[in-house]
Amino acid sequence: MKKLALFLGSLLVVGTAVQAKEIVAPVEVSKEVVVVAEPVVEEVIVTPAFKPTGYIGVEFRGYGKTEGHGDKQQGYDNANGTVDPNVSQDEWNRGRNNYSRLETTFGVQATENFSFEGRIRDFNSLEKNDDSYVNKKDGTETRLRAYYQHNEWFTSRVEYFDEVDNTQSLEYQARFTVYQNKGALLSKLLLAPKFYHSFPSNGGSDYTNTLGMDIEYAGNLPLGFTWDGTIYLNQNFYGQDYYTGVDKATNTLTGSKDKEFTVNWELYLYRTFALYTTDNYGIDLNFEGGYDPYVFGQYDRYTKNDNDVVSKSDKDNYSLYAKFTLDGVYNVTESFSVNAGVGAEYRNWDNINQNSASDWRWQPFAFVGMKTVF
């Protein structure tokens, strides 16, 4: 009986120990992993506040004598066609020899949509006996332009022009950019319907009203050449009549007209040859040339002076030129530069009639200038 009691007691102790072990054994519990996302910070692009910008440039240019120029040619008065021993006049490129031009240019982008620019040219004769020359280049020419950009393809432009002879004009253009492709053969095409009005210097009735359109174009050519120009389509209305014929039997002007349709065509080629370049210095050989302009008129014109001498102006004429300059530039700072150079222009200065244009001559010039941007 004692052995049985001991055996049963042992089983009880072992069972209790096993039960206790099951109770205290750790229980594995699955845990859910919670991922906390970082807050997304939106990138805010801050557009810089608009700041007005602009430029100012000044250039002095001196022109010499045209090749073949007959200085002090006596006994000819171009104004009335009579002999006058007291008058001296240029033989080639009359009135545009030995003179200087001081040119001031400026422009400001005042707002994101509004800008204006100006050009003032002051011409002065450099002839020693200045008073004896007629038609000398002398006086001031002013051109002011204001632009308002309505959107990417439409801009309004107003221009005021005061010529050397004090004739003034106003013009409005609605400028539409209809094509752009930078680097292409045709890189830009712009159409500009316009209205133009000129005021004669004497305030009389010899004014001109013009309705028309300008076609501006630009592009790129092989071998580094670029080209641009403008076609001017003008329907002109004149305050005074002009004459389109002459009765040779009676030396009387005929064919009175007060309006005319004309086409002026400008075409220019450009090429720059960089000869020497560093960070601050540059020396270039520049070429420029073309039609400046080619004029297609509706009628020939006849005029008569006080001595009943009749002169004819052909309806079609052109001026063709080539210009070469050697130009050096020094960038003093990022916003200020100076330049100087010499050059020559080859042009049919006097005879511009379409059927007989001739007598191309060289005219040398030199220049020095500066430009600053802000």
Side-chain angles (χ1 to χ4, degrees), residues 17-30:
V18 171
Q19 185 177 9
K21 185 177 180 180
E22 291 178 354
I23 293 173
V24 299
V27 178
E28 184 178 352
V29 179
S30 63

Side-chain angles (χ1 to χ4, degrees), residues 68-329:
H69 167 65
D71 198 14
K72 298 182 180 180
Q73 181 184 2
Q74 300 291 333
Y76 179 74
D77 184 353
N78 192 45
N80 55 35
T82 62
V83 174
D84 187 347
N86 298 317
V87 172
S88 299
Q89 191 173 62
D90 304 335
E91 183 177 359
W92 294 107
N93 193 17
R94 291 173 178 160
R96 295 181 294 274
N97 289 276
N98 287 342
Y99 73 98
S100 67
R101 186 190 76 186
L102 180 63
E103 179 179 84
T104 302
T105 56
F106 56 88
V108 174
Q109 184 71 42
T111 70
E112 293 179 324
N113 297 325
F114 177 74
S115 63
F116 64 90
E117 63 182 19
R119 186 188 73 190
I120 301 173
R121 289 176 170 176
D122 185 31
F123 299 94
N124 289 280
S125 174
L126 300 179
E127 295 284 4
K128 294 181 180 179
N129 51 347
D130 182 86
D131 294 337
S132 66
Y133 281 78
V134 296
N135 297 331
K136 60 181 178 290
K137 194 76 171 181
D138 202 2
T140 301
E141 174 188 281
T142 303
R143 188 185 71 184
L144 303 174
R145 288 174 172 175
Y147 299 83
Y148 187 83
Q149 184 175 356
H150 302 275
N151 49 51
E152 292 183 357
W153 55 275
F154 173 39
T155 300
S156 289
R157 189 186 83 182
V158 177
E159 176 183 287
Y160 167 77
F161 196 39
D162 186 0
E163 301 182 38
V164 174
D165 63 356
N166 294 323
T167 298
Q168 302 176 67
S169 63
L170 282 173
E171 181 184 72
Y172 169 76
Q173 286 190 356
R175 300 167 61 82
F176 299 92
T177 302
V178 297
Y179 177 80
Q180 281 187 322
N181 186 3
K182 186 177 180 180
L185 176 64
L186 179 63
S187 60
K188 182 190 80 169
L189 183 63
L190 184 144
L191 304 181
K194 65 183 180 181
F195 172 74
Y196 166 92
H197 177 75
S198 72
F199 307 87
S201 57
N202 59 7
S205 61
D206 191 16
Y207 61 83
T208 300
N209 289 324
T210 300
L211 290 174
M213 182 170 67
D214 294 353
I215 304 173
E216 298 181 9
Y217 52 86
N220 302 274
L221 296 171
L223 304 177
F225 283 87
T226 58
W227 62 290
D228 66 24
T230 306
I231 299 174
Y232 304 88
L233 307 176
N234 301 320
Q235 179 60 56
N236 301 311
F237 303 88
Y238 303 109
Q240 292 185 359
D241 291 355
Y242 63 95
Y243 297 93
T244 60
V246 59
D247 186 342
K248 295 182 179 180
T250 61
N251 200 34
T252 303
L253 300 181
T254 61
S256 177
K257 304 287 184 182
D258 63 356
K259 61 181 66 69
E260 180 186 26
F261 181 76
T262 62
V263 178
N264 292 15
W265 176 40
E266 296 175 348
L267 175 63
Y268 306 110
L269 299 178
Y270 307 91
R271 180 69 163 91
T272 295
F273 301 90
L275 303 180
Y276 178 77
T277 303
T278 66
D279 292 339
N280 295 327
Y281 295 90
I283 300 177
D284 297 331
L285 176 64
N286 299 301
F287 163 78
E288 174 188 328
Y291 287 108
D292 183 42
Y294 208 127
V295 179
F296 303 90
Q298 192 172 1
Y299 308 103
D300 293 332
R301 289 196 178 197
Y302 293 83
T303 57
K304 182 189 296 187
N305 61 23
D306 295 337
N307 296 316
D308 286 339
V309 177
V310 176
S311 301
K312 176 186 176 183
S313 298
D314 286 356
K315 62 180 181 180
D316 301 330
N317 58 77
Y318 68 86
S319 183
L320 182 63
Y321 79 104
K323 183 190 300 182
F324 296 89
T325 60
L326 185 64
D327 192 351
V329 179

